[in-house]
Amino acid sequence: GYPSLKTVRALVYKRGYGKVSKQRIPLSDNSVITNALGKHGIYGTEDLIHEIYTVGPHFKQAANFLWPFKLSAPRGGFKCKRH
């Protein structure tokens, strides 16, 4: 299904990185986001989360700014599918 606001917020705060001149920059403060997306009206982390969650008018730029999330493997491991 669709991710909840809580899930999107947790992902961006915990594993969010921005793409600035083709480099992976951690979203440590709002100045990184403002410099890259300020011209689209996105000035901070909460603005970025709102744009992603609601699929606003500048969703494409916001999604392109975010670096793909690097997720760890499941704690219980992958389950083998046995028929």
Side-chain angles (χ1 to χ4, degrees), residues 15-49:
R15 303 197 181 263
Y17 287 86
K19 193 187 306 176
V20 179
S21 63
K22 298 182 182 178
Q23 291 187 330
R24 184 175 183 246
I25 307 294
L27 299 179
S28 54
D29 59 347
N30 288 335
S31 64
V32 175
I33 298 170
T34 304
N35 292 340
L37 298 172
K39 59 182 172 273
H40 300 296
I42 301 170
Y43 298 107
T45 312
E46 284 299 320
D47 289 343
L48 181 65
I49 291 167

Side-chain angles (χ1 to χ4, degrees), residues 6 11 18 34 37 46-47 51-52 55 67 81-82:
K6 181 182 175 188
L11 267 175
T34 304
L37 298 172
E46 284 299 320
D47 289 343
E51 192 71 22
I52 294 292
V55 191
W67 197 272
K81 188 174 179 184
R82 296 188 178 105

